Amino acid sequence: MVRRRQAVTIKHVAADAGVSLQTVSRVINNEPNVRPEMKERVQAAIDKLGYVPSIAAQRMSGSRSYLILAINDRDRTIADWRARLGTDWVDQMLLGGMLKCAEHGYRMIFELVDTHSDHVERELLGAIAALRPDGIILTPPHSDNPQIVALLDEQEIPFVRIGSKQNGAGIPVSMDDEGSACQATGYLIERGHKAIGFIAGSNEYELSGWRVDGWRKEMAQAGLATDGLLAEGDFSFASGEAAARELLDRADRPSAIIASNDQMALATLEVARSLGIAVPQDLSLISFDNTPLVHFTQPPLTAVDQPIAATTAKAVELIIAARNAEPAPARLTIVPATIVERDSVAPPPGHAGG
Amino acid sequence: MVRRRQAVTIKHVAADAGVSLQTVSRVINNEPNVRPEMKERVQAAIDKLGYVPSIAAQRMSGSRSYLILAINDRDRTIADWRARLGTDWVDQMLLGGMLKCAEHGYRMIFELVDTHSDHVERELLGAIAALRPDGIILTPPHSDNPQIVALLDEQEIPFVRIGSKQNGAGIPVSMDDEGSACQATGYLIERGHKAIGFIAGSNEYELSGWRVDGWRKEMAQAGLATDGLLAEGDFSFASGEAAARELLDRADRPSAIIASNDQMALATLEVARSLGIAVPQDLSLISFDNTPLVHFTQPPLTAVDQPIAATTAKAVELIIAARNAEPAPARLTIVPATIVERDSVAPPPGHAGG
DNA sequence: ATGAAAGCGCTAACAT
DNA sequence: ATGTTAGCGCTTTCAT
């Protein structure tokens, strides 16, 4: 591979291979109407010169930019970064998104946008104008922001709405909140639990409801009652404490609790400790999200993994498919979640055959 | 702000303001030779139309790309992401780098490159050819990779080497490992400790040595001996366990230990617990890096914060300065670190006035 | 102080 | 199956 100061362009390749620019372009883009023999010759020149097309030039000529924009909420993301509590949502997005992009010769650019601000439009249009991305990935709470959705629709840029089940413009992709709540509930039922409490998340997030639904559905299917077993939280540690106390202070307290996120599970663990309730011997606990903190609790928490990486990878695939003029899936895409077993679940006290 | 399907270009602005393209360009780039009156008129048109220059076009015409590439080691980064243990190096880089970039109208693109592979060159040149970034940020272990450094030097792209103190091409920026080791040591001395053990990190990283140096220097300055107080680790939990055991098994065991990273501090905590040594009553502990896990230990760890965000922000500043033809700093840039106080430090046992 | 022309590297559209 | 032409949006000359 010859290295030069002056970047090697399509011209150099064309000259070296003794063909026209267009032929080189066709080879780069895997277009038809090139004889294998030609293709080989051009490819040889490309390899020899170490040629890589400039995405700026590709963009300019009306082709793709090979850029996919992943947009997160600014305030929330920065707050998480500063808190340094190990929230790895962004990391998991990069893991799933960047690697999938790389497979297809794309690049993922991560952006922060202020949902609540009145200049969302300006911010977003600015990013789009500057970068001209081939697609955009929206995450909550942007995914259901009507202003943003309308704007992207109008711009005719393929976009995926992660964590949304709403219809409308864009391609919704969701993690299986309801299904995994069913799974978690079933997992406890299998082990002999009958009184399974559930701590719900904030109503502001639709997924809170989906998780409750899954629990309710699975309990109903097993013929188990849910009265007095639902406590409301808002995803914060403090709300988790209050909810856990509500459930555990009762004489007929549940033998297991599912918390809608890790923070509230952590809070539940604290409350249990303060009440002298041993986990998992006296109380089984399953949390949602499987963020890093589940490794550091005593005991480590069995948790429903939120498949952020897989979901982001799926989003990238859908965008690239859309760019290739393939039709979007007719129905909502749901990415399955799994339970990661650790040490916070045991059969209920007094259960035979632990 | 008028919104259009067709992106608004410099032409639209020029037409709207009744000036030439060139004048608009001058206004965008803050160039001289534009009357205030003209400038104002053009700016009004820009605002009215919501115009944002296309970076692809800017790049094409030989100007900047407004892109800064931050490169991390592929294997290590992916391993951290998959482990989900809350390592937030990447997040902190984004926090510092993205926000600083945004201040200057730049964008940061995060890339993974395989240090060890024999096709580092191809990978890097590929990224450079595709993106034509205005600058590159290298992190360990890339920062001291001679192949990479030579290559970037040849390409004449401004680049910063984070975590390197070596001379040579590129701009080195380092966190204050030695100074902060001094600080941590002094912090313990002030509280009455005299026998302060130190667990070193892997020799493969230069910063391991710097941290040891700081400890040694501060101990010497206080007239304290260090014999038998240094144990070697390699940043892993297992190595931390062995090192801690080495230090704590002795009859005249230290009353305080500084561990070169959080994992080894965590290991030290475990060893202390297993030996019935209470932290901080019987043993004070300070760790390095201040990654998220320090929040989750019992007790939470007092730690030397590794200022990744500040360092990355500094790197961005230096690159932009270089692009503006400002001279690089004559000497190594060192970003100061601070100690974050939590609950793992107390006066040594039997010390008056705790 | 302003404008006009040329060209950056590539691809779409149009020849051949 | 291959080549030629025009043009993407911008900045750099080079006029004026």
Side-chain angles (χ1 to χ4, degrees):
Chain A
M1 183 168 77
V2 180
R3 202 190 302 150
R4 345 176 150 229
R5 167 80 51 63
Q6 274 294 38
V8 7
T9 73
I10 197 171
K11 275 190 191 166
H12 300 114
V13 177
D16 189 275
V19 299
S20 72
L21 301 188
Q22 196 45 28
T23 302
V24 178
S25 173
R26 288 191 179 103
V27 171
I28 297 167
N29 297 295
N30 257 312
E31 278 169 26
N33 298 336
V34 185
R35 278 181 318 191
E37 172 198 331
M38 279 275 91
K39 188 164 179 170
E40 211 168 297
R41 185 136 60 97
V42 171
Q43 192 57 55
I46 290 176
D47 294 343
K48 177 174 142 206
L49 300 174
Y51 168 71
V52 176
S54 149
I55 64 165
Q58 294 187 129
R59 212 355 278 162
M60 284 299 295
S61 60
S63 170
R64 13 195 114 186
S65 64
Y66 294 100
L67 259 26
I68 291 177
L69 219 54
I71 299 182
N72 276 22
D73 184 47
R74 173 178 289 121
D75 290 345
R76 226 187 116 180
T77 305
I78 292 179
D80 280 347
W81 282 342
R82 289 208 214 277
R84 301 201 68 172
L85 290 171
T87 312
D88 65 349
W89 170 279
V90 172
D91 301 78
Q92 294 302 306
M93 283 193 75
L94 292 175
L95 174 57
M98 282 185 58
L99 298 192
K100 181 58 78 183
C101 276
E103 282 177 27
H104 296 268
Y106 276 72
R107 260 170 183 97
M108 185 158 163
I109 297 193
F110 196 79
E111 285 265 328
L112 299 178
V113 167
D114 223 329
T115 327
H116 299 299
S117 135
D118 50 342
H119 46 258
V120 207
E121 294 210 355
R122 195 196 307 273
E123 274 193 46
L124 244 185
L125 285 172
I128 293 173
L131 261 12
R132 301 257 119 215
D134 286 339
I136 295 185
I137 299 176
L138 256 30
T139 57
H142 296 314
S143 301
D144 287 319
N145 179 321
Q147 229 183 331
I148 293 180
V149 170
L151 191 144
L152 294 182
D153 189 29
E154 197 174 340
Q155 297 287 316
E156 295 188 322
I157 296 178
F159 66 103
V160 167
R161 290 181 283 116
I162 285 184
S164 171
K165 295 187 178 168
Q166 289 184 16
N167 279 320
I171 309 170
V173 175
S174 198
M175 307 187 229
D176 191 11
D177 292 287
E178 182 175 326
S180 53
C182 284
Q183 261 189 71
T185 308
Y187 181 93
L188 291 166
I189 293 173
E190 272 173 32
R191 278 153 188 77
H193 291 275
K194 296 194 183 325
I196 302 172
F198 195 94
I199 301 180
S202 162
N203 280 325
E204 286 182 36
Y205 291 77
E206 287 205 77
L207 63 82
S208 300
W210 302 329
R211 290 176 181 181
V212 173
D213 292 347
W215 165 72
R216 236 196 266 277
K217 189 181 282 184
E218 191 73 14
M219 290 293 274
Q221 190 161 328
L224 298 173
T226 55
D227 311 303
L229 288 171
L230 177 65
E232 304 261 344
D234 63 8
F235 291 130
S236 71
F237 184 93
S239 78
E241 265 184 312
R245 201 151 269 138
E246 189 184 324
L247 291 173
L248 294 176
D249 269 347
R250 308 171 30 153
D252 58 337
R253 62 164 203 251
S255 66
I257 289 181
I258 301 174
S260 291
N261 79 341
D262 291 329
Q263 280 297 331
M264 298 196 299
L266 185 62
T268 304
L269 208 53
E270 286 302 318
V271 170
R273 186 201 322 273
S274 74
L275 295 175
I277 301 172
V279 174
Q281 294 79 5
D282 302 330
L283 177 71
S284 287
L285 184 57
I286 295 184
S287 75
F288 261 88
D289 292 355
N290 193 34
T291 55
L293 77 81
V294 297
H295 294 273
F296 300 113
T297 55
Q298 286 297 341
L301 300 177
T302 292
V304 175
D305 183 62
Q306 202 186 19
I308 303 162
T311 303
T312 311
K314 187 70 196 173
V316 167
E317 279 178 0
L318 288 168
I319 284 174
I320 293 176
R323 263 278 140 167
N324 293 337
E326 295 167 29
R331 293 157 43 69
L332 173 66
T333 302
I334 291 188
V335 180
T338 53
I339 292 181
V340 180
E341 298 185 286
R342 294 199 186 81
D343 309 325
S344 61
V345 173
H351 186 78
Chain B
M1 184 169 77
V2 181
R3 199 191 305 150
R4 347 175 149 230
R5 167 81 49 64
Q6 274 293 38
V8 9
T9 74
I10 197 171
K11 274 190 193 167
H12 301 114
V13 177
D16 189 274
V19 297
S20 72
L21 302 187
Q22 198 40 41
T23 303
V24 178
S25 174
R26 288 193 179 101
V27 172
I28 297 166
N29 297 294
N30 257 312
E31 278 168 25
N33 296 337
V34 184
R35 281 180 317 191
E37 171 197 330
M38 280 273 92
K39 189 164 180 170
E40 209 169 297
R41 184 138 60 99
V42 171
Q43 192 57 55
I46 290 176
D47 293 343
K48 175 175 142 203
L49 300 173
Y51 168 70
V52 176
S54 149
I55 65 165
Q58 293 186 130
R59 216 346 284 158
M60 284 298 295
S61 58
S63 171
R64 14 194 113 184
S65 64
Y66 294 100
L67 259 27
I68 291 178
L69 220 53
I71 299 183
N72 275 24
D73 184 49
R74 173 177 287 120
D75 291 345
R76 225 186 116 182
T77 305
I78 292 179
D80 280 347
W81 282 343
R82 289 208 214 276
R84 302 202 68 172
L85 290 170
T87 311
D88 65 348
W89 170 279
V90 172
D91 302 79
Q92 295 301 306
M93 284 194 74
L94 292 175
L95 174 57
M98 282 185 58
L99 298 191
K100 183 57 78 180
C101 277
E103 282 176 26
H104 297 269
Y106 277 72
R107 259 170 185 98
M108 184 161 167
I109 297 194
F110 195 79
E111 285 265 331
L112 299 177
V113 167
D114 223 329
T115 327
H116 299 297
S117 136
D118 49 341
H119 46 258
V120 207
E121 295 210 355
R122 195 197 306 275
E123 273 194 45
L124 243 185
L125 284 172
I128 293 172
L131 260 14
R132 302 256 117 217
D134 286 339
I136 295 186
I137 298 175
L138 256 31
T139 56
H142 296 314
S143 302
D144 287 319
N145 180 320
Q147 227 182 333
I148 293 180
V149 169
L151 190 141
L152 294 182
D153 190 28
E154 195 173 343
Q155 297 287 315
E156 295 188 322
I157 296 178
F159 67 104
V160 167
R161 291 182 283 113
I162 285 185
S164 171
K165 295 186 177 169
Q166 289 184 14
N167 278 321
I171 309 170
V173 175
S174 197
M175 305 185 229
D176 191 11
D177 293 288
E178 182 174 326
S180 52
C182 285
Q183 261 189 71
T185 310
Y187 181 93
L188 291 166
I189 294 174
E190 272 173 32
R191 278 154 188 76
H193 292 275
K194 297 195 185 319
I196 301 172
F198 196 94
I199 301 180
S202 162
N203 280 326
E204 287 181 37
Y205 292 77
E206 287 205 77
L207 63 83
S208 301
W210 303 330
R211 290 177 181 181
V212 174
D213 291 347
W215 165 72
R216 238 196 263 280
K217 189 181 285 186
E218 191 72 14
M219 291 293 275
Q221 190 161 326
L224 298 172
T226 55
D227 311 301
L229 288 171
L230 178 65
E232 304 259 343
D234 63 7
F235 290 132
S236 71
F237 184 92
S239 78
E241 265 184 315
R245 204 151 267 137
E246 188 184 326
L247 291 173
L248 295 176
D249 269 347
R250 309 172 28 153
D252 59 337
R253 63 162 204 253
S255 67
I257 289 180
I258 301 175
S260 289
N261 78 343
D262 292 329
Q263 280 296 331
M264 298 196 299
L266 185 62
T268 304
L269 209 54
E270 286 302 319
V271 170
R273 187 201 320 273
S274 74
L275 295 175
I277 300 173
V279 174
Q281 294 79 4
D282 303 330
L283 176 72
S284 287
L285 183 57
I286 295 185
S287 75
F288 261 87
D289 293 355
N290 193 33
T291 54
L293 76 81
V294 297
H295 293 273
F296 300 112
T297 56
Q298 285 298 339
L301 300 177
T302 291
V304 175
D305 183 64
Q306 202 186 18
I308 303 161
T311 304
T312 311
K314 187 71 197 173
V316 168
E317 278 178 0
L318 288 168
I319 284 173
I320 293 175
R323 264 276 139 168
N324 294 338
E326 295 168 28
R331 295 158 39 70
L332 173 66
T333 303
I334 292 188
V335 179
T338 54
I339 292 181
V340 180
E341 299 185 284
R342 295 199 184 82
D343 310 326
S344 62
V345 172
H351 186 78

